[in-house]
Amino acid sequence: MRALRGWALILPIGTRPEAVISCIYALARRVARLERIHLLPSPATSSYVKVVSRAATAIVEGVDVTYTVVDEVSFDGIVEAASRAIEDSRARGLRVAVDVTTGRKSMSLALYKAAIDSNADLILYLHLRCREFEGVLYPLIPKHCADLVVFKGELP
């Protein structure tokens, strides 16, 4: 029997780092081995990389966190960076999840395109049903107020 591969998560960093951390938490509680997280901040949000990385390593012991700064309005540049991150994760033998929740709309659209073009295993969106919980970390949001929506693939 073939051993199960771990997971990589690729997602942008928007202006709310708690939203990024919530996305990481939501996937980490659903998969057995989240081994790699690749963040895509813009120059304006790159200062959040450190706090998101620290939170990620607190949520998932031993996770490898990397990042690539992208121009938030360069659609092709974001697609290229995300596609490279997907291919690199696959080369490491990992299944790939792409989360399109955070970041500017241009970033979410570009990540979605990269995920489809590169055949990512999962495309996810953390849907917050109750707006009063914006800025609240995922574990503190009542279950009926947040859903991890799968646009492509199946959660394990």
Side-chain angles (χ1 to χ4, degrees):
M1 185 160 130
R2 189 172 156 196
L4 291 176
R5 297 180 299 163
W7 285 89
L9 173 61
I10 299 162
L11 71 167
I13 295 182
T15 57
R16 291 182 170 243
E18 64 277 0
V20 180
I21 295 164
S22 289
C23 293
I24 293 167
Y25 190 95
L27 181 63
R29 67 181 275 273
R30 297 294 300 263
V31 299
R33 291 180 10 222
L34 181 55
E35 296 182 17
R36 188 163 207 251
I37 297 171
H38 193 105
L39 304 168
L40 296 169
S42 68
T45 63
S46 63
S47 63
Y48 295 134
V49 167
K50 190 179 237 180
V51 71
V52 171
S53 295
R54 280 196 314 254
T57 56
I59 294 166
V60 184
E61 186 178 333
V63 72
D64 175 38
V65 181
T66 62
Y67 71 96
T68 303
V69 178
V70 296
D71 179 349
E72 66 188 25
V73 294
S74 174
F75 188 83
D76 291 337
I78 299 165
V79 170
E80 185 178 313
S83 296
R84 276 195 314 269
I86 292 167
E87 291 164 15
D88 183 56
S89 295
R90 281 253 163 77
R92 295 169 187 262
L94 300 173
R95 291 175 282 189
V96 178
V98 175
D99 191 303
V100 299
T101 307
T102 60
R104 298 262 193 197
K105 288 177 183 67
S106 56
M107 296 173 86
S108 294
L109 290 168
L111 258 73
Y112 188 87
K113 178 176 178 18
I116 292 294
D117 291 351
S118 298
N119 198 28
D121 299 283
L122 285 172
I123 302 175
L124 305 168
Y125 174 74
L126 186 56
H127 178 61
L128 186 60
R129 293 174 188 236
C130 306
R131 304 267 323 200
E132 65 267 24
F133 291 102
E134 281 184 6
V136 176
L137 290 174
Y138 181 77
L140 302 175
I141 299 171
K143 289 184 189 236
H144 69 280
C145 289
D147 289 321
L148 188 58
V149 177
V150 177
F151 290 142
K152 176 189 180 273
E154 289 184 34
L155 282 170

